């Protein structure tokens, strides 16, 4: 690629990262996320760590049972996708929403698109996690009973935020790919037009030789 190409690629990556960071911060501000909510969210990290691998595997197994045609699309990147899903939810409950989270958000969106599952996988896992938190709050004295309704409200907002952000990023990726396809199509069309013009000229010259 060369130095100039590397520089352009680096600038493109930095611009994309800045865009994602801005996107994330804007959404967090909209839901009123602050340090107090972050501390409450982090209290549930141990539960996420305990269940997340099994939740991811079971959610995809259910998806394959309902939509068997998904399995061949997911299988080539299955291990990478499952690990990325689990790691992303671990990061989500760290509550930092920093560069690591943004990198995970972008990487996981790419993997979900490659596996043709899109943000649906994230939404299903988020719903399962929330159900587990509800069950834990009823069967175990995880924290103060007085805190649980407020904690669940924060968790629900953060999970919804993450899924909505994933859907938005997925649409942006789709639009970017459509633009690239459009550029490639325009270039191919121009090339074909040029070749047709050359062919037309060659045929005209050949016809002139016969006429003369």
């Amino acid at each position: 690629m060369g130095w100039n190409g590397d520089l352009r690629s680096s600038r493109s990556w930095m611009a994309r990262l800045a865009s994602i960071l801005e996107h994330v911060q804007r959404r967090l501000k909209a839901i009123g996320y602050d340090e107090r909510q972050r501390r409450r969210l982090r209290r549930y990290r141990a539960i996420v760590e305990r269940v997340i691998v099994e939740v991811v595997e079971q959610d995809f197994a259910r998806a394959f049972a309902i939509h068997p045609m998904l399995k061949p699309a997911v299988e080539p990147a299955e291990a990478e996708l499952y690990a990325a899903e689990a790691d992303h939810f671990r990061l989500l409950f760290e509550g930092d929403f920093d560069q690591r989270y943004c990198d995970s958000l972008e990487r996981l969106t790419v993997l979900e698109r490659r596996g043709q599952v899109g943000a649906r996988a994230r939404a299903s896992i988020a719903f399962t996690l929330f159900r587990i938190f509800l069950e834990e709050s009823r069967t175990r004295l995880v924290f103060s009973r007085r805190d649980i309704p407020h904690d669940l409200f924060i968790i629900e907002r953060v999970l919804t935020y993450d899924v909505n952000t994933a859907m938005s990023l997925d649409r942006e990726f789709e639009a970017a790919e459509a633009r690239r396809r459009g550029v490639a199509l325009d270039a191919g069309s121009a090339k074909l037009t040029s070749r047709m013009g050359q062919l037309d000229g060659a045929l005209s010259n050949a016809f002139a030789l016969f006429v003369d």
Side-chain angles (χ1 to χ4, degrees):
M1 182 182 291
W3 185 84
N4 287 334
D6 290 338
L7 181 60
R8 284 194 297 271
S9 177
S10 176
R11 285 174 176 170
S12 174
W13 180 83
M14 291 297 290
R16 189 168 68 249
L17 175 62
S19 174
I20 294 172
L21 278 167
E22 180 186 1
H23 194 100
V24 166
Q25 294 305 315
R26 186 169 64 249
R27 284 179 175 268
L28 288 173
K29 184 177 180 181
I31 67 171
Y33 185 78
D34 57 21
E35 179 58 28
R36 185 177 60 178
Q37 293 187 357
R38 175 180 175 273
R39 287 196 300 269
R40 285 184 174 274
L41 189 67
R42 287 169 65 88
R43 296 163 76 179
Y44 292 80
R45 287 177 297 171
I47 298 175
V48 173
E49 184 62 42
R50 173 163 52 85
V51 304
I52 190 60
V53 171
E54 185 177 2
V55 165
V56 170
E57 291 175 353
Q58 289 183 354
D59 264 66
F60 273 95
R62 279 194 296 271
F64 297 153
I66 298 168
H67 305 287
M69 294 303 295
L70 280 178
K71 191 171 178 60
V74 170
E75 277 183 334
E78 183 177 286
E80 186 180 7
L81 176 58
Y82 287 14
E85 293 280 4
D87 287 343
H88 184 76
F89 279 94
R90 291 187 184 104
L91 276 175
L92 188 64
F93 281 83
E94 288 290 332
D96 293 328
F97 300 103
D98 53 7
Q99 182 175 326
R100 290 183 309 147
Y101 172 78
C102 292
D103 289 344
S104 175
L105 189 64
E106 181 179 25
R107 175 171 174 257
L108 186 52
T109 301
V110 170
L111 287 171
E112 288 170 341
R113 288 181 59 78
R114 190 184 303 166
Q116 299 178 25
V117 294
R120 291 173 298 175
R122 200 101 49 102
S124 179
I125 293 167
F127 179 81
T128 302
L129 269 180
F130 190 74
R131 179 177 52 77
I132 289 171
F133 291 136
L134 280 174
E135 291 172 355
E136 294 266 341
S137 71
R138 291 169 183 161
T139 60
R140 303 185 186 191
L141 189 61
V142 184
F143 300 110
S144 167
R145 293 290 186 191
R146 184 184 59 192
D147 291 341
I148 287 172
H150 187 53
D151 288 355
L152 291 175
F153 174 73
I154 293 168
I155 289 168
E156 186 272 335
R157 292 187 76 173
V158 168
L159 289 173
T160 302
Y161 144 81
D162 184 69
V163 171
N164 285 339
T165 303
M167 292 171 65
S168 179
L169 193 58
D170 183 67
R171 287 194 297 268
E172 289 181 15
F173 275 44
E174 179 65 32
E177 288 178 9
R179 287 193 295 270
R180 283 195 295 271
R181 287 194 297 268
V183 169
L185 183 62
D186 289 345
S189 178
K191 191 172 183 179
L192 179 61
T193 300
S194 175
R195 285 182 176 175
M196 289 180 67
Q198 293 170 3
L199 179 61
D200 184 60
L203 287 172
S204 296
N205 291 336
F207 181 72
L209 287 174
F210 281 105
V211 171
D212 291 344

